[in-house]
Amino acid sequence: MESEERSRHAASFGAAAVAYAEHRPDYARDAVRWALEPASGRRVLDLGAGTGKLTATLLAEGADVVAVEPDALMLAQLRRTLVDVRALSGSAEAIPLPDAGVDAVVAGNAMHWFDMAVAGPELARVVAPGGVLAGLWNVMDDRVGWVAGLARIAGSAVIGPRDTPTGWRGEVAGIRVPEADGVARFGAPEQELFPHGQRRTAESLVATLATRAGMLVMPEPEREATLGRIRDYLANRPETAEGEFVLPMLTCVLRMRRSPRL
């Protein structure tokens, strides 16, 4: 994705902040535990925190969390939902925290928006030696037949390569924190996948998919046609036609350890 298009997609979420807060899933707690396991302490920055989906899971795991989010509407929603959390305006490229101020930086469905050429030095600055940087992504488990069918019907603007487990591995494989003066501040990325799921109805799943960046920037006639195809598909699948069901998901984690000496 080109830089200008990536920026347009990243900036699209604010208009859907209320729906995002209502419909987006949380994160598998086992995934959060694994992400934080190497950290030298419990001070955690949720970077690109959105409406606080990952923030809430971090709090449940006993982390001392500060949330940073660039979109004012998303940040306002987070503050309304999690009133006791320190929540600041900022971005991966300009983090409003002191040097070595946290033991871990985590990003929920957000790291792919970071400009690592600029964000890399900021991440290295705020993560204390011996800390950790981790990205978490919720993806749909297309190894399940009806989920694979949904991905085909919805199209790549709604369920793209990063939104399924096999595609995710390829999409994040190139994420690195650049070296500084020829020195690597973070080790090689590690990947792990954790089972997850979200209780949905056909209509609430449609509402969830409508909060995807590709849908938010889609022209209205195309958006309505896409949502109509999804509704028809779900109405005709026995797994989703009536009542509640569990959407099979995985929380995928990309983790990098901060050097203890630099």
Side-chain angles (χ1 to χ4, degrees):
M1 187 182 293
E2 296 296 329
S3 176
E4 184 176 341
E5 185 180 2
R6 184 174 66 245
S7 296
R8 185 167 67 97
H9 279 67
S12 68
F13 294 110
V18 173
Y20 194 105
E22 180 179 357
H23 294 294
R24 284 294 185 106
D26 61 3
Y27 292 82
R29 291 183 67 164
D30 284 347
V32 172
R33 293 183 192 112
W34 187 82
L36 297 179
E37 181 271 329
S40 51
R42 303 301 289 176
R43 300 172 302 164
V44 180
L45 164 61
D46 184 1
L47 185 56
T51 63
K53 293 292 183 176
L54 180 55
T55 311
T57 309
L58 291 165
L59 290 170
E61 286 298 312
D64 176 14
V65 187
V66 57
V68 169
E69 166 58 36
D71 188 287
L73 294 174
M74 299 285 274
L75 184 61
Q77 187 66 40
L78 186 154
R79 286 170 170 162
R80 281 193 291 270
T81 304
L82 300 170
V83 295
D84 295 327
V85 171
R86 183 184 177 206
L88 307 174
S89 178
S91 68
E93 296 77 23
I95 301 173
L97 293 179
D99 295 358
V102 294
D103 304 300
V105 173
V106 298
N109 279 76
M111 191 177 286
H112 51 278
W113 301 122
F114 299 173
D115 178 356
M116 278 298 187
V118 182
E122 279 289 87
L123 294 165
R125 180 182 67 79
V126 301
V127 179
V132 67
L133 168 65
L136 295 88
W137 287 262
N138 280 320
V139 307
M140 294 187 179
D141 192 351
D142 64 346
R143 298 170 298 183
V144 177
W146 75 262
V147 178
L150 175 62
R152 290 192 296 270
I153 290 293
S156 61
V158 185
I159 302 174
R162 195 177 52 247
D163 300 319
T164 59
T166 300
W168 172 81
R169 287 192 183 277
E171 289 290 306
V172 305
I175 293 180
R176 297 286 191 282
V177 177
E179 294 182 353
D181 300 322
V183 178
R185 297 295 198 267
F186 290 86
E190 306 167 81
Q191 295 184 3
E192 194 58 80
L193 283 66
F194 297 86
H196 197 29
Q198 184 187 26
R199 294 203 68 82
R200 297 280 80 186
T201 63
E203 202 53 39
S204 66
L205 179 51
V206 170
T208 302
L209 295 174
T211 67
R212 297 292 182 98
M215 291 291 283
L216 295 173
V217 302
M218 195 178 284
E220 190 61 26
E222 183 182 352
R223 173 184 165 88
E224 288 305 313
T226 301
L227 292 174
R229 289 198 311 272
I230 295 169
R231 286 191 182 96
D232 289 344
Y233 176 80
L234 295 174
N236 287 284
R237 288 292 309 200
E239 300 92 342
T240 59
E242 295 184 12
E244 285 192 334
F245 53 87
V246 175
L247 173 64
M249 301 174 64
L250 298 162
T251 297
C252 304
V253 187
L254 181 76
R255 183 178 76 181
M256 290 173 268
R257 305 179 191 226
R258 178 77 157 84
S259 168
R261 295 179 299 277
L262 297 172

